[in-house]
């Protein structure tokens, strides 16, 4: 192997086959498959290597979409020997070392690496590489240990930098970039338990600020709409706007007063459509409250169940019982829906500095 392997990551583009962002992509450690254009491999062999890296991450629960572009798995090939075997047919035999790396491409940090020595024989160089790469077993113990080391170091990264992550999110909130703040906080995987719960509590506050700001904006729009046309058509347009306001926004009292003022203006025979629209909104609020009630009740039952279990994991149980995990799940879904949309709007190409492994 060369003394210095320079992985020139000038422009990172996710090439994993599973490109669609999903709710459960958040809460996990995800590695993005990347190969630099400069790697010396024929196209077919390069495609196979990408597939093998996808298999390595997916088989070990770390595959997925480009939710978080910073953590990557990449590889470098070094040909040890290359021999021509007389035919017919003439064959090419190669001994290659392939080194896999997992790292943080934004901070130029290598978390772990593993080198596999492989041999391939084929009728040409491409077939020889393919034969060697086919020998890569995603369940290889060395490969699994390599990923576990990377996972441990990524968890350590979140634990060490948790306060900075929260501070950065709070800065985004001050700039009214609520969705971006929610996205950043949602990236913390749940295996980093302490940081995850800290970020979850911050998410609750950020989400409330987001829906309150949205309520204020939509409320102003509804009032302007009604002020311009104080008739059934204006009421319906205002109602369409009000219906988009999150049921948990803090402005419900002001909304109720405003709705009553519209109601008072409309004549009895003009109220039917307006009252129907307001009933829909009231039903939405009631449905959300019922979800919360059910989650609270289930959380209480779960707490009772945990209290009756063996005390072999008393510390963990104490941490869990301090929270209503069912309510957390309910909230997390709302946060992740926003984070998923934000992830879809992230740049598809991200420029990084060079990563150098010595």
């Amino acid at each position: 192997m060369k003394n210095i392997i320079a992985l020139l990551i000038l422009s990172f583009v996710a090439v994993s086959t599973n490109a669609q962002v999903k709710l459960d992509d958040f809460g996990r450690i995800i590695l993005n498959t990347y190969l630099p254009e400069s790697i010396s491999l024929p196209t077919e062999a390069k495609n196979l290597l990408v597939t093998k890296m996808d298999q390595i991450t997916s088989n070990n629960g770390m595959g997925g979409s480009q939710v978080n572009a910073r953590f990557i798995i990449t590889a470098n090939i070094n040909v040890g020997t290359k021999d021509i075997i007389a035919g017919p047919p003439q064959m090419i035999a190669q001994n290659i070392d392939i080194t896999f790396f997992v790292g943080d491409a934004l901070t130029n940090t290598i978390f772990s690496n593993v080198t596999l020595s492989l041999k391939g024989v084929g009728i040409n160089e491409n077939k020889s590489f393919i034969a060697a790469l086919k020998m890569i077993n995603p369940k290889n113990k060395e490969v699994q240990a390599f990923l576990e080391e990377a996972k441990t170091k990524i968890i350590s990264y979140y634990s060490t930098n948790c306060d900075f992550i929260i501070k950065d999110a709070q800065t985004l909130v001050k700039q009214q970039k609520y969705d971006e703040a929610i996205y950043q906080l949602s990236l913390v995987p749940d295996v980093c338990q302490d940081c995850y719960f800290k970020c979850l509590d911050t998410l609750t506050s950020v989400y409330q600020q987001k829906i309150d700001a949205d309520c204020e904006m939509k409320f102003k729009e509804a009032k302007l709409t009604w002020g311009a046309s104080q008739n059934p058509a204006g009421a319906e347009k205002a109602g369409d706007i009000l219906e988009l306001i999150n049921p948990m926004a803090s402005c419900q009292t002001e909304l109720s007063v405003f709705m009553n003022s519209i109601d008072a203006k409309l004549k009895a025979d003009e109220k039917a459509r307006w009252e129907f629209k307001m009933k829909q909104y009231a039903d939405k609020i009631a449905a959300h409250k019922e979800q919360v009630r059910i989650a609270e009740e289930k959380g209480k039952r779960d707490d009772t169940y945990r209290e009756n279990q063996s005390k072999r994991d008393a510390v963990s149980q104490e941490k869990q019982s301090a929270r209503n995990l069912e309510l957390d799940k309910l909230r997390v879904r709302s946060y992740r829906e926003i984070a998923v949309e934000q992830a879809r709007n992230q740049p598809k190409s991200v420029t990084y500095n060079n990563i150098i492994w010595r």
Side-chain angles (χ1 to χ4, degrees), residues 172-191:
L172 290 169
V173 169
K174 289 177 183 177
Q175 299 168 358
Q176 297 186 323
K177 296 179 180 179
Y178 302 108
D179 289 0
E180 194 171 340
I182 289 171
Y183 167 73
Q184 294 294 341
L185 291 166
S186 296
L187 290 175
V188 177
D190 53 21
V191 291

Side-chain angles (χ1 to χ4, degrees), residues 60-209:
N60 290 277
M62 300 172 78
S65 58
Q66 190 184 356
V67 165
N68 185 0
R70 73 182 301 160
F71 300 120
I72 65 168
I73 181 171
T74 188
N76 190 71
I77 297 281
N78 186 52
V79 178
T81 62
K82 181 177 178 181
D83 301 310
I84 307 298
I85 303 173
Q90 179 177 283
M91 307 288 279
I92 295 177
Q94 296 187 100
N95 288 299
I96 68 172
D97 286 336
I98 177 167
T99 302
F100 293 108
F101 302 88
V102 168
D104 183 338
L106 293 186
T107 61
N108 308 325
T109 304
I110 297 293
F111 290 140
S112 64
N113 69 93
V114 66
T115 299
L116 303 179
S117 296
L118 308 169
K119 183 175 182 178
V121 179
I123 58 174
N124 55 41
E125 190 177 77
N126 182 49
K127 297 294 184 184
S128 175
F129 274 121
I130 288 174
L133 294 174
K134 281 183 177 179
M135 296 173 63
I136 298 171
N137 179 4
K139 296 181 180 180
N140 178 298
K141 289 183 179 179
E142 290 180 87
V143 171
Q144 291 180 329
F146 146 75
L147 288 181
E148 279 303 313
E149 182 184 0
K151 183 176 179 180
T152 299
K153 290 186 178 178
I154 291 172
I155 290 172
S156 176
Y157 161 82
Y158 280 115
S159 298
T160 304
N161 292 278
C162 193
D163 290 342
F164 294 107
I165 293 169
I166 292 172
K167 186 176 179 180
D168 287 345
Q170 289 169 338
T171 298
L172 290 169
V173 169
K174 289 177 183 177
Q175 299 168 358
Q176 297 186 323
K177 296 179 180 179
Y178 302 108
D179 289 0
E180 194 171 340
I182 289 171
Y183 167 73
Q184 294 294 341
L185 291 166
S186 296
L187 290 175
V188 177
D190 53 21
V191 291
C192 312
Q193 196 171 82
D194 289 341
C195 186
Y196 174 77
F197 283 130
K198 283 181 183 178
C199 288
L200 182 55
D201 291 338
T202 305
L203 271 166
T204 301
S205 171
V206 173
Y207 183 73
Q208 189 65 50
Q209 291 178 72

